[in-house]
Amino acid sequence: MKIAFNQATTLASSTLEQDLILCEKHGYDFIEIRLDKLKEYLQTNTIDDLKDFFKNSKMKPLSLNAIEWFTFQNETTFALMKEDLRLLANVGQQIGCNTIVAVPSFEIGEKHWSEIKTETIRCLDELFQVVKDTPMRLALEFVGYPECSINTLNRAHEIINEMDNDRIGLVIDCFHLYAMNSNLDDLKKVDRDQIFLFHIDDCEDFVPGILRDQHRLFPGEGVIDLDKIISILNDKGFNGPASVELFRPAYWEMDPETCIRLSKEKTEGILKRIVSEGIS
Ligand code: ZN
């Protein structure tokens, strides 16, 4: 499986400019670019600079993330999200990246699933209309927090199935799968082509409902059964890339190069071990 780097891993310690150089140096195949880091980059660089970087690099852009909390918003906020989406779609088309992550809202109060589902489908469809005439795809990322409106795989999958649009798919993130106890049998039911991105990570030994992003750990250092998840993905013919995404503040205190190097080594270690043990 090829390896990607998600910029959340060096969120507070690096910039897009620096992540690009360091990830290329350490042999990543792909990078996932964050919207906030992109906006910061564009204050002193142009989209052409980014385009030139990828033209001359073996590393390629994997996704742009994210449009966050896109459901249950007022019109003004949603309109601003569409502006961000236009920016991402424009950048994506120029640098050769066709996947944008969309994260549903948190803390929506007591709402029945039927209402959440209707709202998520309506908003995803409205976002899709913005990028319809481009090659861009939208990847829905459920978040394994109790307060996220979609926090298990089966719910996210239900939405994608109902929308039945081959340009609207899923992000499968090992932490989010584990953090609200998603059923791994549900992962077996997801069609390979519905998986637009795969986030690899691990986490501390807290129970579902307690886990938060800061408990993420390097792959292999925590309690998530990564072997099982990867073996399910392999069985369906999904062959990556695996994108390492760690939001751990302690890792942001490392110098970014060490964090980027270790993230690659740990991810590679897990993937190689799984292949050599023939787990799948
Ligand atoms: Zn993720």
Side-chain angles (χ1 to χ4, degrees), residues 180-192:
M180 277 300 283
N181 218 4
S182 282
N183 188 338
L184 288 186
D185 284 338
D186 290 331
L187 184 56
K188 294 180 186 160
K189 295 177 199 154
V190 177
D191 195 82
R192 181 188 64 182

Side-chain angles (χ1 to χ4, degrees), residues 68-73 81 103-108 116 119-120 141 143 147-150:
E68 289 178 331
W69 296 44
F70 67 86
T71 44
F72 301 102
Q73 293 291 357
M81 285 182 187
V103 179
S105 291
F106 291 47
E107 293 167 1
I108 55 162
I116 295 171
E119 169 73 357
T120 307
E141 183 161 22
V143 173
E147 61 270 28
C148 183
S149 56
I150 305 178

